[in-house]
Amino acid sequence: MATGARPKVFCSWGFPEAGLAILREHADVQVWDGPDGAPRDVLLDALRNGAAGVLALPPTDRLNVEAMDLAPDLKVISGFGVGFDYVDVPEATRRGIAVCNTPGTLTETTADQAWALMLGAARHVPEGDRYVRSGEWRKYEPALLLGTDIHGATLGVVGMGAIGTAVARRARGFGMRILYAGRSRRPEAEAETGAVHVPLDDLLRQSDFVSLNCALTAETRGLIGTRELELMKPTAILVNTARGGVVKQAELAAALRAGTIASAAIDVFEVEPVAHDDALVACKNAVFAPHLGSATFATRARMSRVACENIVAALEGRRPPFLVNPAVWQE
Ligand code: DGY
């Protein structure tokens, strides 16, 4: 890059303008504005051609060794979101590339979505909608689409981080008993929500609703499979707004088919988009959303702003507000 030239930043989607406008004040910004996000070869070309910053979409874009090998000028990878399982963080750290995310921007919105799915699955909201539209509804029936009470039930939260705590906080309004599992005790969350820390197996045995809110890590990949599903009550509902990889998807499909658990409410899949003929999608006793956890106008604008502020800071030599790998930053 010539002295005085503005750094190049590549954005793999037409992210909300709230953030892009900030970026444009500081950088030479290339935004992919095609319908499906930048194809991999376009992303790799941008890296090869001197991008100093990338605004990427987790979990779709893959910022791995292959991508970093092509990126001589790359200084910052900023994700439009909180999860950073799409980037090889140790490799980025080794190369001195800052990896940034947007914690705090989507906590409440994602908790709302977990609840939307939980309510939808428990009370058959999608099926009811389809039933009315199809013209099948002939009369009010005493046993039509009977569901499960949420109020007074037991909620198990797996991963009591910011989003898990926000899910648990909402559960108080429904008079639920709240259990949580995770590596460490969270005294503040316990004080705020009344949640009780238990081993995962106990949580699975006792909960009527299990909400997955943990990050996808080596430890949580495939955390929920046949063994865990068999520990759950046959009336229980599994809610996943975390990452698809936390659940062994084929084993969940088999458990739903067999009636091992009653239902699942799924926002995230092992591979996204999930194939429409995937065994899980074929399960009638499940509710799906296409990764909409953070999908509100206000939250997406906030995510864009924070993600772009991270890039600007890194390119100006300031510590980015939300740095995943602080080891790269020497003040
Ligand atoms: C996140 O923040 O990680 C969301 O899932 C968007 O990818």
Side-chain angles (χ1 to χ4, degrees), residues 56-60 79-86 101-103 105-106 110 163 241-243 267-268 272 291-294 300 303:
L57 185 72
T60 311
F80 179 78
V82 176
F84 44 85
D85 46 304
Y86 72 101
N101 66 346
T102 70
T105 54
L106 48 72
T110 305
I163 298 172
T241 53
R243 279 289 185 266
D267 192 51
V268 285
E272 295 181 4
H291 201 141
L292 295 180
S294 60
R300 288 282 162 87
M303 289 161 68

Side-chain angles (χ1 to χ4, degrees), residues 81-227:
V82 176
F84 44 85
D85 46 304
Y86 72 101
V87 43
D88 186 334
V89 178
E91 189 60 34
T93 306
R94 206 176 61 72
R95 296 167 187 242
I97 300 169
V99 177
C100 304
N101 66 346
T102 70
T105 54
L106 48 72
T107 304
E108 301 297 331
T109 302
T110 305
D112 285 350
Q113 173 73 347
W115 272 90
L117 288 171
M118 203 185 311
L119 288 157
R123 299 302 302 273
H124 303 299
V125 175
E127 296 95 317
D129 178 83
R130 284 195 293 270
Y131 195 70
V132 171
R133 288 174 197 280
S134 69
E136 283 172 79
W137 188 27
R138 312 197 83 80
K139 54 174 85 122
Y140 174 74
E141 291 176 40
L144 178 64
L145 291 176
L146 300 185
T148 305
D149 278 329
I150 290 185
H151 68 271
T154 297
L155 170 69
V157 175
V158 179
M160 192 64 111
I163 298 172
T165 305
V167 169
R169 199 183 305 123
R170 285 156 177 71
R172 296 199 67 182
F174 284 80
M176 296 180 93
R177 171 176 170 245
I178 308 164
L179 306 176
Y180 77 102
R183 243 182 340 200
S184 42
R185 290 277 300 266
R186 301 281 180 164
E188 281 178 22
E190 289 180 18
E192 187 187 354
T193 66
V196 176
H197 188 252
V198 292
L200 178 63
D201 285 2
D202 290 353
L203 178 150
L204 295 169
R205 281 191 196 97
Q206 293 181 41
S207 297
D208 300 299
F209 297 87
V210 173
S211 177
L212 302 179
N213 298 106
C214 52
L216 178 63
T217 62
E219 200 185 329
T220 62
R221 187 175 290 281
L223 184 70
I224 304 296
T226 303
R227 188 192 84 86

